[in-house]
């Protein structure tokens, strides 16, 4: 089936490359740009067209997707000298799927609106596995009617697609997601530390609690890894910290004290200081152990 929208895709990293591949599989015509040009080759071999800049992508597309690293990078590819804003035609839609600042998102959307271009913020959850399988959770902010037009595009990349509300609310939801996973991770680290210090076999504790009110993805998935001292990354501490920085900054902008969020951010910083930034987020356990002067391994 050929799809009638021309898609532009900017940022072929760990997430972007497989998401772009799924759009091609769904029959969309896709024009790609990546700062490191060699990363475009595999997508061109799969049927995409290559562009020379984000501006050129925008002039070839009705829907322009960006998934780059951080807030300044999104600003650069959309509003920079060779940015999307200089090539996009009125009536086209920019969908930013990176995880970035909600307030910066609203600012970029307002700049695009001045030239008649709509923007949706649509960050994702599900990691590279979800990106490859096309099963990402996608949380979307922006105008509802614009979202509805883009549902076929989202459906090619994700499974749980939720319209949240006005511009920035997709990013806000993603940051709520990161607050939830991090503080729950902290609870798992403390419970295992407590169990081990008490002479309780931690596997038994997980078995007994995971299907009750204390159950969580973190307890069932990260808990056993912690018990086995497997700190290899599914999601790295460095990436988690980027998202927690966005969350703490957004909270500070609202004068909102969130003690548990700030505490877990700080304990992850201690992991980074110990050279553990490239380990999985379950290595938060090492910070908890260090506080208690207990060797983790
Ligand atoms: P990644 O593998 O590091 O890829 C980043 C991409 O952005 C690369 O294509 C990079 O180009 C491009 N880029 C960065 N800065 C740029 C700039 N200033 N100008 C132009 N291009 C730029 O990262 P990723 O894991 O795909 O993550 C992308 C986004 O998805 C992030 O916001 C991340 O938080 C979010 N996310 C990631 C995951 C995950 O599990 N990895 C899960 C959910 C959400 P080059 O190739 O030239 O470096």
């Amino acid at each position: 089936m050929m799809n009638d929208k021309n898609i532009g895709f900017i940022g072929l990293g760990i997430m972007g490359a497989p998401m772009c591949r799924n759009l091609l599989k769904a029959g969309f015509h896709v024009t790609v740009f990546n700062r490191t040009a060699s990363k475009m080759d595999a997508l061109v071999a799969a049927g995409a067209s290559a562009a020379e800049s984000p501006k050129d992508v925008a002039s070839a597309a009705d829907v322009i997707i960006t998934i780059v690293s951080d807030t300044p990078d999104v600003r650069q590819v959309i509003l920079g000298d060779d940015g999307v804003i200089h090539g996009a035609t009125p009536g086209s839609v920019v969908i930013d799927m990176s995880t970035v600042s909600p307030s910066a998102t609203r600012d970029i959307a307002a700049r695009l609106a001045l030239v008649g271009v709509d923007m949706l913020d649509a960050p994702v959850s599900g990691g590279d596995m979800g990106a490859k399988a096309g099963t990402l959770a996608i949380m979307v902010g922006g105008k509802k009617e614009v979202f509805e037009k883009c549902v076929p595009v989202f459906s090619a990349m994700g499974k749980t697609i939720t319209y949240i509300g006005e511009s920035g609310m997709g990013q806000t939801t993603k940051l709520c997601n990161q607050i939830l996973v991090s503080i729950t991770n902290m609870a798992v680290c403390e419970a295992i530390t407590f169990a081990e210090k008490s002479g309780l076999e931690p596997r038994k504790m997980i078995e007994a609690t995971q299907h009750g009110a204390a159950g969580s993805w973190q307890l069932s998935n990260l808990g056993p890894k912690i018990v086995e001292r497997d700190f290899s990354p599914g999601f790295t501490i460095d990436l988690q910290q980027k998202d927690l920085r966005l969350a703490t900054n957004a909270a500070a902008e609202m004068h909102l004290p969130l003690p548990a969020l700030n505490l877990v951010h700080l304990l992850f910083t201690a992991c980074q200081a110990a050279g553990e930034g490239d380990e999985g987020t379950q290595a938060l356990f090492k910070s908890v152990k260090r506080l208690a002067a207990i060797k983790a391994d």
Side-chain angles (χ1 to χ4, degrees):
M1 180 197 71
M2 282 302 289
N3 253 307
D4 61 350
K5 281 195 174 60
N6 284 313
I7 311 281
F9 203 102
I10 299 165
L12 301 171
I14 289 171
M15 298 297 285
M19 289 162 69
C20 182
R21 206 171 270 279
N22 283 332
L23 288 168
L24 289 166
K25 274 193 207 144
F28 288 101
H29 180 260
V30 187
T31 303
V32 295
F33 171 78
N34 195 66
R35 181 178 58 184
T36 307
S38 58
K39 288 193 197 163
M40 292 191 278
D41 296 347
L43 276 304
V44 169
S49 309
E52 303 250 308
S53 66
K55 175 184 169 189
D56 291 347
V57 168
S59 41
D62 317 302
V63 173
I64 303 117
I65 296 173
T66 53
I67 177 150
V68 292
S69 306
D70 208 344
T71 309
D73 308 307
V74 174
R75 271 193 196 283
Q76 190 181 339
V77 298
I78 297 180
L79 304 177
D81 284 348
D82 248 344
V84 166
I85 197 165
H86 303 295
T89 46
S92 57
V93 179
V94 172
I95 305 177
D96 178 39
M97 304 190 79
S98 328
T99 301
V100 295
S101 150
S103 57
T105 293
R106 285 189 285 273
D107 178 49
I108 296 168
R111 298 278 295 277
L112 287 169
L114 294 176
V115 295
V117 175
D118 280 302
M119 177 170 170
L120 299 174
D121 46 301
V124 301
S125 161
D128 61 327
M129 303 280 282
K132 283 185 192 132
T135 56
L136 292 168
I138 307 178
M139 31 216 118
V140 189
K143 287 187 202 146
K144 190 156 196 208
E145 62 273 22
V146 177
F147 163 74
E148 278 161 0
K149 279 197 293 186
C150 295
V151 167
V153 178
F154 290 128
S155 302
M157 298 180 284
K159 195 164 150 204
T160 313
I161 298 147
T162 312
Y163 175 73
I164 309 285
E166 64 194 30
S167 177
M169 288 305 168
Q171 295 295 352
T172 301
T173 306
K174 169 76 187 188
L175 297 186
C176 289
N177 186 81
Q178 300 308 68
I179 294 169
L180 287 164
V181 297
S182 301
I183 296 173
T184 311
N185 182 359
M186 175 84 187
V188 171
C189 292
E190 289 199 2
I192 294 174
T193 302
F194 183 77
E196 289 181 350
K197 185 76 177 174
S198 309
L200 164 60
E201 165 56 57
R203 283 181 191 80
K204 279 265 167 248
M205 181 276 287
I206 293 172
E207 192 188 314
T209 58
Q210 67 181 341
H211 300 300
S216 65
W217 186 95
Q218 282 70 27
L219 182 60
S220 298
N221 292 278
L222 298 184
K225 287 190 180 187
I226 293 169
V227 174
E228 284 152 29
R229 305 299 192 255
D230 172 4
F231 299 116
S232 60
F235 192 63
T236 67
I237 287 175
D238 285 341
L239 274 179
Q240 181 72 91
Q241 282 290 74
K242 184 210 116 190
D243 293 355
L244 295 188
R245 173 178 50 74
L246 292 168
T248 53
N249 286 349
E253 282 168 20
M254 297 184 281
H255 305 293
L256 190 62
L258 296 181
L261 167 64
N262 281 283
L263 178 60
V264 73
H265 187 37
L266 181 143
L267 290 174
F268 274 130
T269 303
C271 286
Q272 290 175 306
E276 296 153 3
D278 58 356
E279 296 188 7
T281 52
Q282 70 276 21
L284 177 67
F285 180 71
K286 295 186 182 180
S287 261
V288 174
K289 286 282 197 180
R290 275 189 291 262
L291 276 178
I294 303 168
K295 238 178 149 292
D297 37 27

